[in-house]
């Protein structure tokens, strides 16, 4: 079984408690894909200088945010880790190992929605904001063999991510033109499998600086794209906006 690689936009931690189209989509993710043997979650919220893999047997739920309702901090995702597979991944990509890091909200929010029973082993692989999108495509390529074993490479970030421009509390606001332009460009580049455009998005994409003032929330997409192998193309699994310019687009690559 060759598992597709997937990128999801995980949005605010509040997504798991809100009635939004993106939440409804993520709640179907497990049914849209073959059942994974394990999940390698590549979260925008774990940034390291060098690639690092979490190897905990029982990863803790990390509440890596503040100022949210108490109900959010009471949530726990009790899936097991996969230390043996995590160590293999470390060998494949030349990564360091972290036995203490758990699951940040970029990992546990989509996992809790897609696999609510917590019965699929999951661990994380970090991103390196100081390295290029092309470097992250290559990082993903090293993970490609795992897909033949039913392992899901799950990139979790955001198709657009500009916190200063969000219209907070206005979930139904129409998307701003710059956000729509970037989101449409991304959909076209993904569906064409345009590796050069994705790697050089800062020069090629309209409104790239507005859509991503920094790279970390976009890099998980590059890892997922790379994990699908050379010549991969993507298809949209979901597209919607919230807060005026936060694209919640998600893609599968094969």
């Amino acid at each position: 079984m060759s598992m597709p690689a997937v990128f999801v936009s995980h949005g605010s931690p509040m997504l798991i408690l809100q009635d939004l189209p993106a939440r409804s989509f993520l709640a179907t993710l497990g049914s849209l894909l073959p059942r994974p043997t394990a999940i390698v979650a590549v979260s925008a919220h774990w940034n390291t200088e060098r690639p690092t893999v979490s190897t905990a047997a029982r990863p803790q739920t990390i509440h890596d945010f503040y100022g949210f309702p108490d109900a959010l901090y009471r949530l726990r995702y009790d899936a097991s880790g996969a230390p043996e597979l995590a160590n293999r991944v470390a060998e494949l990509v030349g990564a360091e190992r972290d036995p203490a890091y758990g699951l940040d909200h970029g990992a546990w929010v989509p996992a809790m929605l897609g696999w609510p029973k917590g019965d699929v082993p999951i661990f994380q692989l970090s991103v390196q904001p100081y390295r290029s999108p092309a470097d992250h495509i290559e990082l993903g390529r090293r993970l490609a063999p795992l897909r033949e074993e039913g392992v899901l490479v799950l990139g979790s970030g955001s198709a657009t991510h500009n916190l200063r421009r969000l219209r907070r509390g206005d979930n139904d606001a129409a998307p701003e033109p710059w956000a729509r332009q970037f989101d449409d460009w991304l959909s076209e580049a993904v569906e064409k499998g345009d590796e050069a455009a994705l790697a050089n998005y800062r020069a090629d994409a309209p409104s790239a600086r507005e859509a991503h003032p920094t790279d970390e929330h976009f890099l998980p997409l590059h890892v997922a794209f790379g994990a699908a192998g050379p010549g991969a193309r993507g298809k949209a699994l979901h597209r919607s906006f919230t807060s005026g310019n936060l694209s919640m687009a998600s893609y599968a690559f094969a």
Side-chain angles (χ1 to χ4, degrees), residues 8 27 38 45 57 63 65 75 81 87 91 99 101 109 126 132-133 143 181 206 245 248:
V8 298
H45 292 278
H63 298 90
F65 41 77
L75 294 177
N87 279 300
E91 294 294 330
Y101 197 80
V109 166
S126 66
S132 70
L143 301 175
Q181 288 175 349
N245 55 55
M248 301 299 296

Side-chain angles (χ1 to χ4, degrees), residues 155-166:
S156 179
S158 193
T160 63
H161 190 260
N162 188 331
L163 297 182
R164 292 186 177 181
R165 299 288 292 269
L166 292 183

Side-chain angles (χ1 to χ4, degrees), residues 11-12 18 20 160 162-176 178-179 240-248:
S12 161
Q18 294 175 319
L20 290 174
T160 63
N162 188 331
L163 297 182
R164 292 186 177 181
R165 299 288 292 269
L166 292 183
R167 295 176 62 177
R168 299 177 187 274
D170 192 357
N171 292 333
D172 298 324
E176 296 181 58
W178 62 264
S240 67
F241 278 88
T242 187
S243 303
N245 55 55
L246 187 63
S247 170
M248 301 299 296

